[in-house]
Each structure stands twice: as structure tokens, then as C-alpha cells.
Amino acid sequence: MSSPAGGLPGPYGGGGSGANLADILERVLDKGVVIAGDIKINLLDIELLTIKLRLIVASVDKAKEMGIDWWEQDPALSSGARHKELTQENAELRRRLEELESQAALDPAAAEKETREPRK
């Protein structure tokens, strides 16, 4: 099979393969594909190692439909999750600070020392 100009043959499927690949990719992302497999290593009927592999290829919207949204909770991948983590940490630090200030207010020796030695 040669091209009309006498050069090298074209790719399998002719010139429409780019459109076919785009259609296939669109369909895979729209519907989703699950690939699952297990690898087991046994020695004399003793299981030494089991590896379970699961791969899902889908669009973000399809993954959310399936209930998969772990990237939204990961602070390394989501600015919203990082903000939430910082807000919780800030609230915990404020609570601890209030607790320490209330303990210092109840401790008369600490309060007396504070009045004798002004803050710098």
C-alpha cells in the first residue's frame, strides 16, 4: 500500500484516525473505564505477597457521579482543602491560647508577677 505521491504508506485507518481517536477518548472519559487485577506470589502454597491493582479512567464529572472525589479533600491538590485545614488549625490554636490565658488568670502568682514586671 503506497501513497498517491509514491511516498511511504499512511497510518492504519487512513486520514480519519485522528477523529476516531478523539471519539474514542471522548467516549472513554464520558463513560469511564475500570481496569482491575490481582497479583499473588505463592511459594509452596504459602501466600507471600498480594497486590491488588485498580485503575479508573474517567472525566472529573463522571468520577464525581460515581462518588470519587478524593482530590477535593487532599490539601496538596485542592486550595479549598488547604484553606479548610488552615482554618481548623487556626481555630485549634485560638482555643489553646484562650485556655492558657484563662489558666494564667486563675494562677495568682502568675498574675502578681505580671503586674510587677510590665511587658516589654
Side-chain angles (χ1 to χ4, degrees):
M1 176 178 181
S2 64
S3 68
L8 295 173
Y12 179 74
S17 66
N20 290 339
L21 180 60
D23 292 340
I24 291 170
L25 183 59
E26 182 180 344
R27 189 173 301 153
V28 165
L29 292 176
D30 184 45
K31 302 291 182 187
V33 173
V34 176
I35 300 171
D38 296 339
I39 300 171
K40 291 185 179 184
I41 298 175
N42 295 336
L43 179 64
L44 300 174
D45 292 332
I46 299 172
E47 190 172 311
L48 298 177
L49 178 67
T50 299
I51 300 174
K52 295 186 177 218
L53 302 171
R54 306 294 182 260
L55 173 67
I56 297 175
V57 179
S59 67
V60 171
D61 294 333
K62 187 63 175 180
K64 286 183 179 181
E65 278 180 34
M66 295 185 302
I68 302 169
D69 61 354
W70 52 265
W71 62 87
E72 291 180 348
Q73 310 303 323
D74 189 341
L77 300 175
S78 170
S79 61
R82 179 67 179 145
H83 179 72
K84 183 178 178 182
E85 183 181 61
L86 289 174
T87 302
Q88 289 173 344
E89 183 179 355
N90 192 14
E92 174 64 18
L93 289 172
R94 287 179 188 272
R95 186 194 61 76
R96 290 175 58 191
L97 180 62
E98 288 173 4
E99 184 179 306
L100 289 171
E101 286 176 343
S102 67
Q103 286 177 357
L106 294 175
D107 186 9
E112 185 178 321
K113 184 179 179 181
E114 182 70 28
T115 56
R116 281 188 273 143
E117 297 177 12
R119 291 186 182 176
K120 296 179 183 177

